[in-house]
Amino acid sequence: MMVWIASRRRLAGIVTTALLFATHGALPAHAAEALVILPIKLLDTSGEPTDQASQHAERLVHLADSLAADLSRMGLYRATVLPPDSLRQACPSEDIACLLEAARARGAELIFVGVVHKSSTLILQLWARVVDARTGRDLFSRDLNFRGDTDEAWQRAQGFLISQIRDGTLDRR
């Protein structure tokens, strides 16, 4: 009986602490940082005869939008997507200095840069970086492989990337 009462008190304390953190907006230290997601690029060297440009364009937009929504919803960052048209207008050459400035102009403290490489019908690689908007230095870097060029495969890759960002530590050195 005493063990049950002690366990119940401990649970009540944990719940109370969790509610205090929730009501006072306690989030990870980086949660207040604004993360701007640059348009994700595709490099297709698969040589497939079927033109999949429209499907890939949709998947790239969906990937960027979903990353922003998930990272914001989880309280990890205040994430937004820099629309491709805005970026093309601001940085037609897409040089690094211009990309950093365009993201900073949108309030970025951090910038997400992503490239998907499709090397064959079934093999894709996602290079993902989170960069300090002030210095251009990589703070987070992952090279992820995924199999299949379907909506489901891309969604699984995105879910895994989110877990890597969530569980990863930004290199602040």
Side-chain angles (χ1 to χ4, degrees):
M1 176 81 166
M2 291 303 255
V3 172
W4 181 80
I5 291 171
S7 295
R8 205 175 145 138
R9 283 185 184 147
R10 204 173 355 216
L11 179 61
I14 292 169
V15 169
T16 301
T17 302
L19 287 173
L20 282 172
F21 280 114
T23 58
H24 292 298
L27 295 170
H30 57 273
E33 291 178 302
L35 173 72
V36 170
I37 297 174
L38 296 182
I40 300 171
K41 301 287 189 172
L42 175 73
L43 172 62
D44 186 349
T45 60
S46 67
E48 288 186 290
T50 306
D51 182 11
Q52 298 173 311
S54 63
Q55 292 115 324
H56 288 144
E58 288 176 21
R59 287 179 183 142
L60 292 167
V61 168
H62 185 265
L63 177 60
D65 290 344
S66 295
L67 283 171
D70 288 348
L71 292 170
S72 294
R73 183 176 44 255
M74 294 171 72
L76 295 174
Y77 302 98
R78 288 177 288 120
T80 59
V81 177
L82 182 60
D85 292 340
S86 296
L87 187 61
R88 269 192 296 278
Q89 190 174 31
C91 296
S93 67
E94 295 189 5
D95 67 272
I96 293 171
C98 188
L99 293 173
L100 289 171
E101 183 54 40
R104 282 192 299 260
R106 303 240 340 162
E109 296 168 279
L110 302 170
I111 302 167
F112 177 89
V113 180
V115 176
V116 175
H117 176 216
K118 180 175 178 175
S119 58
S120 73
T121 303
L122 294 175
I123 299 172
L124 293 95
Q125 183 174 18
L126 172 59
W127 292 299
R129 306 286 183 267
V130 175
V131 176
D132 184 307
R134 203 173 22 82
T135 65
R137 192 169 72 78
D138 280 0
L139 301 175
F140 173 89
S141 175
R142 292 294 185 278
D143 298 334
L144 310 172
N145 292 305
F146 63 103
R147 300 292 178 261
D149 191 9
T150 64
D151 291 340
E152 182 182 353
W154 282 64
Q155 289 167 359
R156 281 194 315 267
Q158 183 234 326
F160 186 74
L161 177 58
I162 289 290
S163 70
Q164 291 290 295
I165 293 170
R166 180 193 65 224
D167 299 340
T169 303
L170 297 182
D171 180 10
R172 301 287 186 178
R173 286 180 270 149

